[in-house]
Amino acid sequence: MPKITMNINGRETSTEVENRTLLSTALRENLYLTGTHIGCDTSQCGACVVHVNGKAVKSCSVFAAELDGATVDTIEGQANADGSLNVIQQAFQDHHGLQCGFCTPGMVMSAAELLKVNPKPSEAEIRDYLEGNICRCTGYQGIVNAIMAASGQDVPSIAAE
Amino acid sequence: MYDFDLVIPTSVDEASTAMKADGAQALGGGQTLLPTMKQRLAAPETLVKLSGLSELVGVNAASGTLSIGGATTHGQVADEASAYPALAALAGNIGDPAVRNRGTIGGSIANNDPAACYPAGVLGSGATVVTNTREISADDYFVDLFETALEEGEIVTGVNFPIPDAANYQKFDQPASRFALVGVFVAKFGDTVRVAVTGASNGGVFRWSEAEAALNANFSADALEGLAVDAGDLISDLHGSAEYRAHLVGVLTRRAVQACS
């Protein structure tokens, strides 16, 4: 089996994989990084989004064996150095951007890429960017609010308050 | 999925050699191939990785032509194809951001999904598909559903797009799959107009020649009045009947023409 070495969350990490092993499987089953969730396994739902060489990808749709030498960032590497939640994660907590939490790792990783390419997105831009991340609990408004807040923008008040 | 041999070549020459093996299959971004392999609808014995080959990656505009390397991702085309805004917009609305970070133009047109966006852009522009052995005009390239003029082992190394005077792509999203329920690409070169339709036909992308003739005479949405594609040849599924798709082709073509002017 090929041995691959990736820089995962800032640490050189080697593991042996079959050619057919998906990145999502390698992360979860070889490296025990189970924060990356496998929802649909058909690249629809986005729960498995991680960053490969700085770009958001669906880790269920990439072979780990393709990524020897790559830099991979997962949800486990998102917290601040002192272990506290980073600004996006904290905003998800503050604005009820999650309920069951299954989609959250992918949502946070997609949001992180969005804010990197577009630091002050509009609500429409946020919704458009999250097109490939499916949440079945929240109705998305809390997620959108969290990303608005994480980007330092005013959060629309809740109409029914 | 079944296991396979993985070849990671360092040049197109090496990739071409590897593709001569029995059961070899090119691997672009894998955004269609991996789900297909998971369902065991494909079981290649050897995958030859093309993404990451630097000679296949890039977007370059020179003397009226936009050249895109076969392994260039949709995201890179969206960001860098400013010389051909309609094509950049098309690329920027394929799938979702994570898919656009992996999926490639070569992979898309080699697969020739009947609802994919790129085939409409390539055929609508009258582009030239460049492979490791020859050049193929778009009119000869797209043959049928998931079928192209590519031979066994042939690799799409790039696509050369003549840059039109005006162009626009209208996509009616199928929101679950993010493919086109129907998509229409209109491009105007001097007095010649090309109209390519994706998502609608059982035979894959096609040119709507009646609309082209009408628009050649009068490039305005009004010129399309009374024209309709024959619903008999169109896809009918739970997302939309053939008649609905035929109607959409007319609506989207008019919108694309309006957006051009």
Side-chain angles (χ1 to χ4, degrees):
Chain A
M1 291 201 296
K3 182 180 176 188
I4 56 165
T5 301
M6 299 178 280
N7 183 314
I8 300 181
N9 300 326
R11 189 179 302 172
E12 291 292 313
T13 309
S14 296
T15 184
E16 285 189 0
V17 292
E18 290 185 291
N19 286 328
R20 61 180 166 176
T21 303
L22 303 167
L23 175 60
S24 50
T25 310
L27 290 171
R28 289 178 56 85
E29 296 182 11
N30 293 30
L31 304 171
Y32 307 115
L33 293 171
T34 54
T36 296
H37 290 169
I38 299 171
C40 66
D41 205 26
T42 53
S43 75
Q44 306 278 318
C45 79
C48 69
V49 168
V50 301
H51 295 184
V52 174
N53 297 329
K55 300 267 194 187
V57 304
K58 295 184 172 175
S59 61
C60 79
S61 296
V62 186
F63 294 120
E66 289 187 70
L67 299 180
D68 189 33
T71 297
V72 177
D73 295 297
T74 72
I75 190 69
E76 285 88 350
Q78 295 298 297
N80 297 321
D82 65 0
S84 61
L85 298 179
N86 79 4
V87 64
I88 297 172
Q89 293 170 309
Q90 188 61 53
F92 268 68
Q93 188 182 73
D94 293 344
H95 293 273
H96 306 286
L98 66 157
Q99 187 169 318
C100 85
F102 193 87
C103 71
T104 312
M107 289 285 180
V108 169
M109 297 308 289
S110 286
E113 184 184 57
L114 168 62
L115 297 186
K116 201 163 64 177
V117 298
N118 184 357
K120 299 277 181 208
S122 66
E123 178 171 344
E125 286 169 336
I126 293 170
R127 289 183 182 277
D128 185 56
Y129 214 83
L130 296 181
E131 198 176 18
N133 291 80
I134 295 173
C135 171
R136 298 289 78 155
C137 302
T138 65
Y140 299 97
Q141 192 59 51
I143 295 168
V144 173
N145 289 351
I147 298 172
M148 293 293 279
S151 57
Q153 303 183 85
D154 288 341
V155 174
S157 58
I158 298 164
E161 232 171 14
Chain B
M1 82 178 66
Y2 295 109
D3 207 5
F4 51 85
D5 292 326
L6 177 65
V7 178
I8 302 181
T10 55
S11 68
V12 173
D13 281 349
E14 262 183 57
S16 302
T17 306
M19 285 292 290
K20 289 182 181 140
D22 275 349
Q25 158 79 48
L27 170 63
Q31 299 303 286
T32 297
L33 184 57
L34 267 72
T36 309
M37 289 172 67
K38 288 178 188 180
Q39 294 181 2
R40 298 185 173 181
L41 295 171
E45 290 168 37
T46 302
L47 286 185
V48 181
K49 176 177 156 71
L50 301 180
S51 58
L53 272 179
S54 56
E55 51 187 312
L56 293 183
V57 176
V59 179
N60 294 293
S63 40
T65 301
L66 182 80
S67 300
I68 301 177
T72 310
T73 62
H74 312 325
Q76 189 175 347
V77 174
D79 289 343
E80 297 181 14
S82 52
Y84 192 168
L87 194 74
L90 175 151
N93 199 27
I94 295 173
D96 59 56
V99 167
R100 295 195 286 274
N101 284 338
R102 291 292 300 175
T104 65
I105 186 171
S108 171
I109 65 167
N111 188 47
N112 192 19
D113 189 293
C117 296
Y118 261 131
V122 171
L123 186 64
S125 305
T128 302
V129 179
V130 185
T131 77
N132 53 337
T133 57
R134 59 182 168 146
E135 297 192 349
I136 310 167
S137 80
D139 287 318
D140 298 328
Y141 177 84
F142 298 101
V143 175
D144 207 339
L145 201 69
F146 295 110
E147 191 183 335
T148 67
L150 292 174
E151 306 281 352
E152 273 311 298
E154 199 169 1
I155 296 169
V156 175
T157 55
V159 184
N160 295 332
F161 293 87
I163 299 173
D165 304 327
N168 186 262
Y169 178 58
Q170 292 288 324
K171 175 182 180 180
F172 194 95
D173 285 325
Q174 203 280 68
S177 71
R178 296 179 284 275
F179 275 86
L181 188 66
V182 172
V184 177
F185 196 97
V186 171
K188 183 175 188 295
F189 299 85
D191 296 332
T192 308
V193 178
R194 294 175 67 101
V195 178
V197 179
T198 189
S201 169
N202 285 311
V205 67
F206 68 95
R207 284 174 69 185
W208 185 13
S209 43
E210 291 86 357
E212 290 180 355
L215 292 169
N216 284 341
N218 172 17
F219 190 72
S220 78
D222 294 342
L224 298 165
E225 203 62 44
L227 291 184
V229 291
D230 181 0
D233 302 328
L234 301 190
I235 299 170
S236 208
D237 60 20
L238 77 169
H239 304 297
S241 65
E243 291 73 22
Y244 179 61
R245 281 185 164 85
H247 178 70
L248 277 181
V249 172
V251 171
L252 297 176
T253 306
R254 283 195 292 278
R255 286 184 188 170
V257 170
Q258 279 163 349
C260 281
S261 44

